[in-house]
Amino acid sequence: MSRTDEILDKAPKQLFIGGQWVDAENGETDAVVNPATGQVIAHVARGGAADTEKAIDAAEKAFPGWAETDPDQRAAIMRRITDLIVSHADELAVLMTLEQGKPVAQARGEVLIGAESVRWYAEELRRIYGETVPGPNGQLFLVQKEPLGIVGAITPWNFPSSMITRKISPAIAAGNTVVLKPSPETPLSATALMALFKEGGLPDGVVNVVTGDARAIGGVLTGSDRVKKIAFTGSTAVGKLLFGQSADTVKKLSLELGGHAPFIVLADAPVDRVVTELVATKFRNNGQVCTSPNRIFVQQPILEEFTGKLIAAVKKVKVGNGLDEGVDAGPLIREDAIAKIDGQIADAAKKGATVATGGHRLTDGAFAGGYFYAPTVLTGVTRAMNIFYQETFGPVLPVIPFHTVDEVIDLANDTEYGLASYFYTKDPATIGKMSRKLQYGMVGVNSGAVAFPQAPFGGIKHSGLGRENGRQGIDGYVNTKFINLNYEV
Ligand code: NAP
């Protein structure tokens, strides 16, 4: 058996309920496809409503014990889980590449970032502070934080490990229990992670995993009064649906939704460095990232130089199977992702944009069978084109010229999204103005990086509600209780 076959063979393919691996009640399974080859690599249990109810039962049973567990003990378990994830990073990375497609080095980086989330919240749980407030007549007002109860977590395929650890870590750190529904494209990263949570000593039922029928599972999670919160990362369309479905039970929500990040290059920016950072940021996960630079605004005086260097750098991006040495960009996740990008490019070209490089699917030789797309630069992009407003989620860099700072702020903010934004300049006054005026949850100033375990991550407008990561990440997983303590009876 090859190493990859061994890794695939070992990954659990059942539901994880109450600490046990079980089949779906109806016995059904879903196929998992390798996007680099189009081949089915595994079949995973297709859970539904009944399985979700069972998972909620298990989470409900586990909740009182876990909520009462000494914080130091919770932290010790989470530290053990961190160490296990780190020591299994290589095989978790291969598994992720097999089902998701990203280059294995990037997959390993994601696994390790996920481990850092667990470590961060193992530390942070000791600092779930309350406060005291002076009250009238000698009364002491106490403000304390309590776990919510059961959290329903729903996660996407683009970061199949770190989107899970980002939710589970603050949830269990604060004493909650969880029912997780991972993406059907990438269930093995979730189940393999859960096997390590179990090995690390997490009590049965604290985290449960139901793979399968999204509507059925989502319907039960949002409709149940026993579930106190939905933590969702995914598309804005599904986020809005879950928001609506959660109204009846007045559930807490955190929604990490789509983005359409502007990447703004002012004339005084160091062109070579910015081109390098842009290409690295854009081709991370082949552009299938909510924070991916999707609209590249370049100030007129450097437009020609910048665009020329960008096209040259993009031509050097090596596309291939993520398991192969030296690959920068893997496949897209599915056939429909290719159709979406083709549509955006055709629309832009029809309305006057130029396809400077790329602009087509790759199908020859090793690309046959997979969902590969040529790294693409579009020039002369305007507001008239769909790509200006639609999230791309692929390897396309649309270049949009601008003249003034005020103009580019207006262009950058002309979107329903408000997740990540980036700009490059040396001028302190411009840094101050743009940092304030850009309507985004996160701003990278002379930096293409905005996601760190210790810093709050999240968007405004249609990009979502709440924050993950950082000290703020725990706020979404606790209730604030006020106690008026009167010492005199
Ligand atoms: P998606 O289609 O919204 O799916 C996300 C998750 O929701 C999947 O597990 C999906 O399962 C599930 N889902 C779909 N319909 C559901 C329903 N009716 N009830 C319950 N669950 C349901 O998004 P995606 O294509 O996987 O991920 C890409 C999107 O995620 C992009 O828009 C990207 O910007 C966004 N994203 C945002 C962030 C952030 O932090 N803001 C991070 C990463 C990704 P099924 O696949 O079975 O439908």
Side-chain angles (χ1 to χ4, degrees), residues 154-158 163 166 181-185 212 214-215 218 232-236 238 241-242 256-259 290 391 393 419 457:
I154 302 177
T155 52
W157 48 265
N158 63 341
M163 292 301 114
R166 260 192 202 184
K181 190 210 97 63
S183 167
E185 266 84 17
R215 280 169 192 237
F232 172 75
T233 296
S235 63
T236 295
V238 174
L241 184 82
L242 297 174
E256 296 287 354
L257 309 178
C290 51
E391 188 181 31
F393 242 57
L419 190 61
F457 182 103

mmCIF file of all heavy atoms in Angstrom, residues 154-158 163 166 181-185 212 214-215 218 232-236 238 241-242 256-259 290 391 393 419 457, ligand 1:
data_model
loop_
_atom_site.group_PDB
_atom_site.id
_atom_site.type_symbol
_atom_site.label_atom_id
_atom_site.label_comp_id
_atom_site.label_asym_id
_atom_site.label_seq_id
_atom_site.Cartn_x
_atom_site.Cartn_y
_atom_site.Cartn_z
ATOM 1 N N ILE A 154 -20.650 24.978 11.310
ATOM 2 C CA ILE A 154 -20.763 24.557 9.901
ATOM 3 C C ILE A 154 -19.594 25.185 9.140
ATOM 4 O O ILE A 154 -19.412 26.403 9.190
ATOM 5 C CB ILE A 154 -22.116 25.011 9.299
ATOM 6 C CG1 ILE A 154 -23.283 24.444 10.118
ATOM 7 C CG2 ILE A 154 -22.215 24.577 7.829
ATOM 8 C CD1 ILE A 154 -24.668 24.883 9.655
ATOM 9 N N THR A 155 -18.810 24.340 8.456
ATOM 10 C CA THR A 155 -17.539 24.837 7.904
ATOM 11 C C THR A 155 -17.391 24.512 6.412
ATOM 12 O O THR A 155 -17.980 23.555 5.915
ATOM 13 C CB THR A 155 -16.354 24.225 8.692
ATOM 14 O OG1 THR A 155 -16.511 22.807 8.725
ATOM 15 C CG2 THR A 155 -16.296 24.767 10.103
ATOM 16 N N PRO A 156 -16.569 25.310 5.708
ATOM 17 C CA PRO A 156 -16.398 25.131 4.257
ATOM 18 C C PRO A 156 -15.188 24.255 3.918
ATOM 19 O O PRO A 156 -14.446 23.826 4.810
ATOM 20 C CB PRO A 156 -16.154 26.568 3.800
ATOM 21 C CG PRO A 156 -15.374 27.162 4.921
ATOM 22 C CD PRO A 156 -15.836 26.494 6.186
ATOM 23 N N TRP A 157 -14.991 24.066 2.613
ATOM 24 C CA TRP A 157 -13.942 23.163 2.128
ATOM 25 C C TRP A 157 -12.613 23.881 1.918
ATOM 26 O O TRP A 157 -11.594 23.232 1.742
ATOM 27 C CB TRP A 157 -14.368 22.545 0.782
ATOM 28 C CG TRP A 157 -14.882 23.587 -0.178
ATOM 29 C CD1 TRP A 157 -16.189 23.925 -0.367
ATOM 30 C CD2 TRP A 157 -14.118 24.453 -1.020
ATOM 31 N NE1 TRP A 157 -16.283 24.949 -1.285
ATOM 32 C CE2 TRP A 157 -15.035 25.299 -1.706
ATOM 33 C CE3 TRP A 157 -12.756 24.613 -1.273
ATOM 34 C CZ2 TRP A 157 -14.624 26.271 -2.610
ATOM 35 C CZ3 TRP A 157 -12.347 25.586 -2.172
ATOM 36 C CH2 TRP A 157 -13.277 26.399 -2.824
ATOM 37 N N ASN A 158 -12.606 25.220 1.867
ATOM 38 C CA ASN A 158 -11.364 25.867 1.409
ATOM 39 C C ASN A 158 -10.254 25.828 2.464
ATOM 40 O O ASN A 158 -9.083 25.738 2.128
ATOM 41 C CB ASN A 158 -11.619 27.285 0.880
ATOM 42 C CG ASN A 158 -12.143 28.223 1.926
ATOM 43 O OD1 ASN A 158 -12.663 27.796 2.961
ATOM 44 N ND2 ASN A 158 -12.026 29.511 1.669
ATOM 45 N N MET A 163 -10.633 26.167 9.665
ATOM 46 C CA MET A 163 -11.967 26.750 9.924
ATOM 47 C C MET A 163 -12.656 25.977 11.057
ATOM 48 O O MET A 163 -13.506 26.519 11.763
ATOM 49 C CB MET A 163 -12.842 26.707 8.676
ATOM 50 C CG MET A 163 -12.389 27.612 7.563
ATOM 51 S SD MET A 163 -12.321 29.347 8.036
ATOM 52 C CE MET A 163 -10.577 29.657 7.934
ATOM 53 N N ARG A 166 -10.711 26.935 14.462
ATOM 54 C CA ARG A 166 -11.080 28.297 14.848
ATOM 55 C C ARG A 166 -12.386 28.365 15.631
ATOM 56 O O ARG A 166 -12.615 29.296 16.387
ATOM 57 C CB ARG A 166 -11.310 29.119 13.593
ATOM 58 C CG ARG A 166 -10.195 29.982 13.185
ATOM 59 C CD ARG A 166 -10.774 30.887 12.135
ATOM 60 N NE ARG A 166 -9.737 31.402 11.303
ATOM 61 C CZ ARG A 166 -9.974 32.288 10.342
ATOM 62 N NH1 ARG A 166 -11.191 32.706 10.096
ATOM 63 N NH2 ARG A 166 -8.992 32.749 9.631
ATOM 64 N N LYS A 181 -20.680 20.261 11.460
ATOM 65 C CA LYS A 181 -20.952 19.749 10.106
ATOM 66 C C LYS A 181 -19.873 20.294 9.164
ATOM 67 O O LYS A 181 -19.910 21.446 8.772
ATOM 68 C CB LYS A 181 -22.321 20.197 9.594
ATOM 69 C CG LYS A 181 -22.692 19.472 8.301
ATOM 70 C CD LYS A 181 -23.578 20.274 7.382
ATOM 71 C CE LYS A 181 -22.840 20.997 6.298
ATOM 72 N NZ LYS A 181 -22.110 20.178 5.327
ATOM 73 N N PRO A 182 -18.913 19.448 8.800
ATOM 74 C CA PRO A 182 -17.889 19.926 7.857
ATOM 75 C C PRO A 182 -18.410 19.865 6.424
ATOM 76 O O PRO A 182 -19.486 19.328 6.166
ATOM 77 C CB PRO A 182 -16.746 18.933 8.062
ATOM 78 C CG PRO A 182 -17.389 17.689 8.572
ATOM 79 C CD PRO A 182 -18.692 18.061 9.234
ATOM 80 N N SER A 183 -17.610 20.395 5.505
ATOM 81 C CA SER A 183 -18.008 20.378 4.090
ATOM 82 C C SER A 183 -17.941 18.956 3.537
ATOM 83 O O SER A 183 -17.018 18.199 3.859
ATOM 84 C CB SER A 183 -17.062 21.280 3.304
ATOM 85 O OG SER A 183 -17.227 21.045 1.929
ATOM 86 N N PRO A 184 -18.890 18.593 2.671
ATOM 87 C CA PRO A 184 -18.851 17.237 2.083
ATOM 88 C C PRO A 184 -17.658 17.035 1.148
ATOM 89 O O PRO A 184 -17.274 15.911 0.868
ATOM 90 C CB PRO A 184 -20.162 17.151 1.307
ATOM 91 C CG PRO A 184 -20.577 18.550 1.058
ATOM 92 C CD PRO A 184 -20.045 19.368 2.188
ATOM 93 N N GLU A 185 -17.061 18.139 0.668
ATOM 94 C CA GLU A 185 -15.875 17.998 -0.185
ATOM 95 C C GLU A 185 -14.658 17.548 0.628
ATOM 96 O O GLU A 185 -13.773 16.900 0.102
ATOM 97 C CB GLU A 185 -15.532 19.343 -0.855
ATOM 98 C CG GLU A 185 -16.124 19.524 -2.223
ATOM 99 C CD GLU A 185 -17.547 20.046 -2.155
ATOM 100 O OE1 GLU A 185 -17.935 20.551 -1.084
ATOM 101 O OE2 GLU A 185 -18.271 19.927 -3.154
ATOM 102 N N GLY A 212 -22.619 15.013 5.894
ATOM 103 C CA GLY A 212 -23.783 14.576 5.125
ATOM 104 C C GLY A 212 -24.652 15.671 4.564
ATOM 105 O O GLY A 212 -24.151 16.685 4.077
ATOM 106 N N ALA A 214 -26.544 18.652 3.938
ATOM 107 C CA ALA A 214 -26.424 20.005 4.512
ATOM 108 C C ALA A 214 -27.768 20.579 4.952
ATOM 109 O O ALA A 214 -27.890 21.110 6.063
ATOM 110 C CB ALA A 214 -25.780 20.935 3.495
ATOM 111 N N ARG A 215 -28.765 20.440 4.093
ATOM 112 C CA ARG A 215 -30.064 21.047 4.440
ATOM 113 C C ARG A 215 -30.672 20.397 5.661
ATOM 114 O O ARG A 215 -31.222 21.075 6.532
ATOM 115 C CB ARG A 215 -31.033 20.894 3.279
ATOM 116 C CG ARG A 215 -30.778 21.929 2.214
ATOM 117 C CD ARG A 215 -31.572 21.586 0.979
ATOM 118 N NE ARG A 215 -31.100 22.410 -0.102
ATOM 119 C CZ ARG A 215 -31.858 23.230 -0.811
ATOM 120 N NH1 ARG A 215 -33.131 23.330 -0.560
ATOM 121 N NH2 ARG A 215 -31.343 23.954 -1.766
ATOM 122 N N GLY A 218 -28.361 21.231 8.728
ATOM 123 C CA GLY A 218 -28.505 22.664 9.022
ATOM 124 C C GLY A 218 -29.894 22.981 9.555
ATOM 125 O O GLY A 218 -30.051 23.811 10.460
ATOM 126 N N PHE A 232 -20.769 29.775 11.672
ATOM 127 C CA PHE A 232 -20.747 29.378 10.260
ATOM 128 C C PHE A 232 -19.645 30.097 9.511
ATOM 129 O O PHE A 232 -19.478 31.311 9.657
ATOM 130 C CB PHE A 232 -22.107 29.710 9.617
ATOM 131 C CG PHE A 232 -22.138 29.518 8.122
ATOM 132 C CD1 PHE A 232 -22.183 28.251 7.568
ATOM 133 C CD2 PHE A 232 -22.122 30.613 7.261
ATOM 134 C CE1 PHE A 232 -22.213 28.062 6.182
ATOM 135 C CE2 PHE A 232 -22.154 30.438 5.870
ATOM 136 C CZ PHE A 232 -22.203 29.154 5.335
ATOM 137 N N THR A 233 -18.917 29.373 8.679
ATOM 138 C CA THR A 233 -18.057 29.993 7.675
ATOM 139 C C THR A 233 -18.462 29.431 6.327
ATOM 140 O O THR A 233 -18.547 28.213 6.162
ATOM 141 C CB THR A 233 -16.570 29.693 7.924
ATOM 142 O OG1 THR A 233 -16.187 30.279 9.165
ATOM 143 C CG2 THR A 233 -15.698 30.290 6.830
ATOM 144 N N GLY A 234 -18.715 30.316 5.387
ATOM 145 C CA GLY A 234 -19.097 29.872 4.049
ATOM 146 C C GLY A 234 -19.600 31.038 3.236
ATOM 147 O O GLY A 234 -19.272 32.201 3.517
ATOM 148 N N SER A 235 -20.430 30.743 2.266
ATOM 149 C CA SER A 235 -20.870 31.790 1.345
ATOM 150 C C SER A 235 -21.888 32.720 1.999
ATOM 151 O O SER A 235 -22.589 32.329 2.952
ATOM 152 C CB SER A 235 -21.486 31.147 0.106
ATOM 153 O OG SER A 235 -22.625 30.409 0.486
ATOM 154 N N THR A 236 -21.965 33.923 1.472
ATOM 155 C CA THR A 236 -22.928 34.894 1.996
ATOM 156 C C THR A 236 -24.353 34.374 1.797
ATOM 157 O O THR A 236 -25.210 34.529 2.679
ATOM 158 C CB THR A 236 -22.708 36.255 1.308
ATOM 159 O OG1 THR A 236 -21.414 36.731 1.701
ATOM 160 C CG2 THR A 236 -23.752 37.282 1.723
ATOM 161 N N VAL A 238 -25.558 31.255 1.797
ATOM 162 C CA VAL A 238 -25.932 30.258 2.812
ATOM 163 C C VAL A 238 -25.956 30.907 4.200
ATOM 164 O O VAL A 238 -26.831 30.605 5.020
ATOM 165 C CB VAL A 238 -24.984 29.028 2.758
ATOM 166 C CG1 VAL A 238 -25.278 28.067 3.906
ATOM 167 C CG2 VAL A 238 -25.134 28.311 1.427
ATOM 168 N N LEU A 241 -29.219 32.496 4.686
ATOM 169 C CA LEU A 241 -30.247 31.464 4.883
ATOM 170 C C LEU A 241 -30.240 30.985 6.345
ATOM 171 O O LEU A 241 -31.284 30.895 7.004
ATOM 172 C CB LEU A 241 -29.939 30.293 3.942
ATOM 173 C CG LEU A 241 -30.934 29.161 3.911
ATOM 174 C CD1 LEU A 241 -32.084 29.545 2.983
ATOM 175 C CD2 LEU A 241 -30.261 27.885 3.385
ATOM 176 N N LEU A 242 -29.046 30.708 6.869
ATOM 177 C CA LEU A 242 -28.944 30.211 8.244
ATOM 178 C C LEU A 242 -29.375 31.287 9.247
ATOM 179 O O LEU A 242 -29.987 30.988 10.283
ATOM 180 C CB LEU A 242 -27.507 29.755 8.538
ATOM 181 C CG LEU A 242 -26.997 28.590 7.686
ATOM 182 C CD1 LEU A 242 -25.524 28.327 7.965
ATOM 183 C CD2 LEU A 242 -27.802 27.314 7.942
ATOM 184 N N GLU A 256 -18.977 34.039 9.200
ATOM 185 C CA GLU A 256 -17.779 34.458 8.443
ATOM 186 C C GLU A 256 -18.090 34.159 6.984
ATOM 187 O O GLU A 256 -18.059 33.005 6.562
ATOM 188 C CB GLU A 256 -16.554 33.666 8.904
ATOM 189 C CG GLU A 256 -16.156 33.906 10.350
ATOM 190 C CD GLU A 256 -15.512 35.254 10.576
ATOM 191 O OE1 GLU A 256 -15.255 35.981 9.596
ATOM 192 O OE2 GLU A 256 -15.278 35.599 11.738
ATOM 193 N N LEU A 257 -18.418 35.194 6.225
ATOM 194 C CA LEU A 257 -18.983 34.977 4.889
ATOM 195 C C LEU A 257 -18.012 35.401 3.782
ATOM 196 O O LEU A 257 -16.811 35.451 3.999
ATOM 197 C CB LEU A 257 -20.331 35.712 4.804
ATOM 198 C CG LEU A 257 -21.294 35.386 5.958
ATOM 199 C CD1 LEU A 257 -22.582 36.183 5.838
ATOM 200 C CD2 LEU A 257 -21.580 33.901 6.055
ATOM 201 N N GLY A 258 -18.560 35.701 2.633
ATOM 202 C CA GLY A 258 -17.703 35.986 1.486
ATOM 203 C C GLY A 258 -16.941 37.296 1.603
ATOM 204 O O GLY A 258 -17.197 38.122 2.484
ATOM 205 N N GLY A 259 -16.004 37.484 0.669
ATOM 206 C CA GLY A 259 -15.225 38.725 0.630
ATOM 207 C C GLY A 259 -14.890 39.074 -0.815
ATOM 208 O O GLY A 259 -15.057 38.245 -1.716
ATOM 209 N N CYS A 290 -11.407 33.582 1.283
ATOM 210 C CA CYS A 290 -12.334 34.707 1.454
ATOM 211 C C CYS A 290 -11.594 36.048 1.517
ATOM 212 O O CYS A 290 -12.175 37.087 1.235
ATOM 213 C CB CYS A 290 -13.160 34.492 2.712
ATOM 214 S SG CYS A 290 -12.131 34.120 4.131
ATOM 215 N N GLU A 391 -17.599 37.910 -6.016
ATOM 216 C CA GLU A 391 -16.447 37.194 -5.452
ATOM 217 C C GLU A 391 -15.929 36.205 -6.500
ATOM 218 O O GLU A 391 -16.717 35.521 -7.152
ATOM 219 C CB GLU A 391 -16.910 36.438 -4.203
ATOM 220 C CG GLU A 391 -15.789 35.822 -3.412
ATOM 221 C CD GLU A 391 -16.288 35.045 -2.191
ATOM 222 O OE1 GLU A 391 -17.406 34.494 -2.250
ATOM 223 O OE2 GLU A 391 -15.566 34.986 -1.193
ATOM 224 N N PHE A 393 -13.039 33.692 -6.219
ATOM 225 C CA PHE A 393 -12.681 32.368 -5.702
ATOM 226 C C PHE A 393 -11.907 31.539 -6.724
ATOM 227 O O PHE A 393 -12.219 30.381 -6.994
ATOM 228 C CB PHE A 393 -13.935 31.630 -5.217
ATOM 229 C CG PHE A 393 -13.851 31.345 -3.742
ATOM 230 C CD1 PHE A 393 -13.669 32.382 -2.846
ATOM 231 C CD2 PHE A 393 -13.925 30.057 -3.254
ATOM 232 C CE1 PHE A 393 -13.553 32.148 -1.488
ATOM 233 C CE2 PHE A 393 -13.807 29.809 -1.893
ATOM 234 C CZ PHE A 393 -13.628 30.860 -1.021
ATOM 235 N N LEU A 419 -14.738 42.314 4.135
ATOM 236 C CA LEU A 419 -13.906 41.413 4.949
ATOM 237 C C LEU A 419 -12.468 41.957 5.020
ATOM 238 O O LEU A 419 -12.145 42.726 5.906
ATOM 239 C CB LEU A 419 -13.985 40.000 4.359
ATOM 240 C CG LEU A 419 -13.388 38.863 5.187
ATOM 241 C CD1 LEU A 419 -14.072 38.724 6.531
ATOM 242 C CD2 LEU A 419 -13.489 37.533 4.431
ATOM 243 N N PHE A 457 -10.489 38.242 13.605
ATOM 244 C CA PHE A 457 -10.703 38.012 12.172
ATOM 245 C C PHE A 457 -12.203 38.080 11.908
ATOM 246 O O PHE A 457 -12.982 37.411 12.570
ATOM 247 C CB PHE A 457 -10.176 36.625 11.804
ATOM 248 C CG PHE A 457 -10.299 36.290 10.340
ATOM 249 C CD1 PHE A 457 -9.187 36.349 9.500
ATOM 250 C CD2 PHE A 457 -11.522 35.911 9.790
ATOM 251 C CE1 PHE A 457 -9.292 36.040 8.149
ATOM 252 C CE2 PHE A 457 -11.629 35.605 8.438
ATOM 253 C CZ PHE A 457 -10.513 35.674 7.619
HETATM 254 P P1 NAP B 1 -21.009 27.247 1.163
HETATM 255 O O1 NAP B 1 -21.528 26.670 -0.083
HETATM 256 O O2 NAP B 1 -21.756 28.353 1.799
HETATM 257 O O3 NAP B 1 -20.853 26.038 2.178
HETATM 258 C C1 NAP B 1 -20.314 26.191 3.472
HETATM 259 C C2 NAP B 1 -20.867 25.101 4.369
HETATM 260 O O4 NAP B 1 -22.276 25.313 4.518
HETATM 261 C C3 NAP B 1 -20.709 23.691 3.780
HETATM 262 O O5 NAP B 1 -20.472 22.797 4.831
HETATM 263 C C4 NAP B 1 -22.071 23.471 3.137
HETATM 264 O O6 NAP B 1 -22.398 22.127 2.942
HETATM 265 C C5 NAP B 1 -22.959 24.123 4.182
HETATM 266 N N1 NAP B 1 -24.307 24.416 3.727
HETATM 267 C C6 NAP B 1 -24.748 24.732 2.496
HETATM 268 N N2 NAP B 1 -26.096 24.897 2.503
HETATM 269 C C7 NAP B 1 -26.502 24.679 3.776
HETATM 270 C C8 NAP B 1 -27.753 24.690 4.434
HETATM 271 N N3 NAP B 1 -28.882 24.971 3.774
HETATM 272 N N4 NAP B 1 -27.793 24.412 5.751
HETATM 273 C C9 NAP B 1 -26.663 24.125 6.420
HETATM 274 N N5 NAP B 1 -25.443 24.087 5.862
HETATM 275 C C10 NAP B 1 -25.358 24.365 4.548
HETATM 276 O O7 NAP B 1 -19.522 27.796 0.983
HETATM 277 P P2 NAP B 1 -18.289 27.033 0.359
HETATM 278 O O8 NAP B 1 -18.442 27.037 -1.117
HETATM 279 O O9 NAP B 1 -18.045 25.736 1.056
HETATM 280 O O10 NAP B 1 -17.100 27.999 0.804
HETATM 281 C C11 NAP B 1 -16.761 29.121 0.072
HETATM 282 C C12 NAP B 1 -17.349 30.388 0.655
HETATM 283 O O11 NAP B 1 -16.942 30.509 2.000
HETATM 284 C C13 NAP B 1 -16.847 31.638 -0.032
HETATM 285 O O12 NAP B 1 -17.902 32.554 -0.238
HETATM 286 C C14 NAP B 1 -15.843 32.224 0.949
HETATM 287 O O13 NAP B 1 -15.639 33.597 0.833
HETATM 288 C C15 NAP B 1 -16.449 31.829 2.242
HETATM 289 N N6 NAP B 1 -15.429 31.804 3.295
HETATM 290 C C16 NAP B 1 -15.450 32.781 4.231
HETATM 291 C C17 NAP B 1 -14.484 32.801 5.218
HETATM 292 C C18 NAP B 1 -14.489 33.872 6.276
HETATM 293 O O14 NAP B 1 -13.834 33.676 7.291
HETATM 294 N N7 NAP B 1 -15.194 34.973 6.113
HETATM 295 C C19 NAP B 1 -13.491 31.818 5.262
HETATM 296 C C20 NAP B 1 -13.506 30.834 4.296
HETATM 297 C C21 NAP B 1 -14.492 30.833 3.315
HETATM 298 P P3 NAP B 1 -22.714 21.597 1.460
HETATM 299 O O15 NAP B 1 -21.476 21.797 0.675
HETATM 300 O O16 NAP B 1 -23.123 20.185 1.664
HETATM 301 O O17 NAP B 1 -23.826 22.410 0.853
#
